[in-house]
Amino acid sequence: MNGEGAAHDIDARLKAYEGRAAVSAGIGKDLVNEPMIRHWCEAMGDTNPAYEGPHAVAPPTMLQAWTMGGLSGHTGRSEAYDELLALLDGAGYTSVVATDCEQEYLRPLRPGDAITFDAVIESVSERKTTKLGTGHFVTTRMDIRAGGEPAGTHRFRILKYAPAARPSRQPETSRKPETRRPRPVINRDNAGFWEGVAEHRLLIQRCGTCATLRFPWLPGCNACGSQRWDTVEASGSGTVFSYVVMHHPPFPAFDPPYAVGLIELAEGVRMVSNVIGVPYDKVRIGMPVTLTFLRVDEELELPVFRAGGED
Ligand code: ZN
């Protein structure tokens, strides 16, 4: 069989896994419980009052946490899923990276809820070539129930791939000049922010219910849960609340050492940005800074902060 035929043959074998179980009759290792909710909220810095007290619900985004196997392994993972991964390994797609997940919430989870779940291999993509290498995306859909009732859906996608050959490491000085800074991920929840940047306006979200300002942009208010919002334009003055100096690891398009600042805006919210106009070792906590827009390349402009108060 020639190469083309072999690729076609494996495509057909992969497709045959669509619709097969990935997990059958999984059982959450713990009931939904307050300590796990508290640890999650502390780790996330989420102080929403809905997640504590006698009527607490679990943060919806914890959905997957209740289904995870922990160090002792998966619960109820099917043979079909293991076979699919083995088939991909055998075809040379030995690396794996989680690419994205999507969740849908059908009912709130509360302490005491018993979690059960099933997962299905929803799709196996055709062969795709990405920057990481060539391989197949595998999407699984997990249906999660609480006390037998549908509670949510968690779709999880991985790329099983054969890594692209990497160029050998080059010394800093010969780094390719065309290497570009990473692009921001723009989605429906933060598009307004980037539209503001395009007009040289730094927009902060303001809750339409309790008027709490928030940054970075989020679909809902952490103070009251409301999804209504409008924006206020930042005045552009701020101070360095904290900073780090990056020495390692090296990233393409960044030239270490450089300072990354956590800037407290005059409006009270904080954002991570670059501090420019001052050597990296002269950045100080409390230093006044002023918003400016840095043209990084032909398609990317970023809000950054220049050391010094307003001119
Ligand atoms: Zn609010």
Side-chain angles (χ1 to χ4, degrees), residues 206-214 220-228:
R206 174 172 55 192
C207 175
T209 302
C210 75
T212 301
L213 298 180
R214 63 176 185 265
C221 174
N222 271 346
C224 76
S226 169
Q227 295 187 8
R228 293 173 48 219

Side-chain angles (χ1 to χ4, degrees), residues 99-100 182-191 193-194 217 300 302:
T99 60
D100 61 295
R183 308 290 101 175
V185 176
I186 300 176
N187 57 40
R188 62 191 167 190
D189 294 326
N190 69 7
F193 172 75
W194 292 104
W217 282 41
L300 181 63
L302 293 175

Side-chain angles (χ1 to χ4, degrees), residues 130-287:
T130 72
K131 276 188 192 161
L132 288 175
T134 296
H136 296 263
F137 289 94
V138 177
T139 306
T140 50
R141 189 193 74 236
M142 183 174 278
D143 295 305
I144 296 149
R145 294 173 302 272
E149 275 177 58
T153 303
H154 175 76
R155 266 195 185 76
F156 187 69
R157 190 168 296 118
I158 59 168
L159 173 66
K160 276 288 280 174
Y161 67 101
R166 277 202 200 170
S168 56
R169 283 211 163 196
Q170 296 173 335
E172 294 287 304
T173 46
S174 68
R175 212 165 49 192
K176 281 189 267 170
E178 69 270 23
T179 314
R180 301 195 311 169
R181 274 172 74 145
R183 308 290 101 175
V185 176
I186 300 176
N187 57 40
R188 62 191 167 190
D189 294 326
N190 69 7
F193 172 75
W194 292 104
E195 285 161 17
V197 169
E199 299 168 356
H200 287 193
R201 301 164 73 215
L202 180 62
L203 298 178
I204 303 166
Q205 274 181 311
R206 174 172 55 192
C207 175
T209 302
C210 75
T212 301
L213 298 180
R214 63 176 185 265
F215 193 91
W217 282 41
L218 292 168
C221 174
N222 271 346
C224 76
S226 169
Q227 295 187 8
R228 293 173 48 219
W229 55 271
D230 63 2
T231 59
V232 292
E233 182 175 350
S235 67
S237 36
T239 52
V240 174
F241 182 81
S242 185
Y243 67 95
V244 292
V245 175
M246 288 292 291
H247 294 268
H248 191 81
F251 292 108
F254 291 86
D255 197 15
Y258 54 93
V260 178
L262 178 61
I263 308 302
E264 184 160 274
L265 299 177
E267 290 75 15
V269 296
R270 295 175 193 151
M271 72 180 282
V272 174
S273 185
N274 289 129
V275 180
I276 65 166
V278 62
Y280 70 89
D281 57 353
K282 293 289 188 284
V283 175
R284 291 291 177 268
I285 288 171
M287 178 181 264

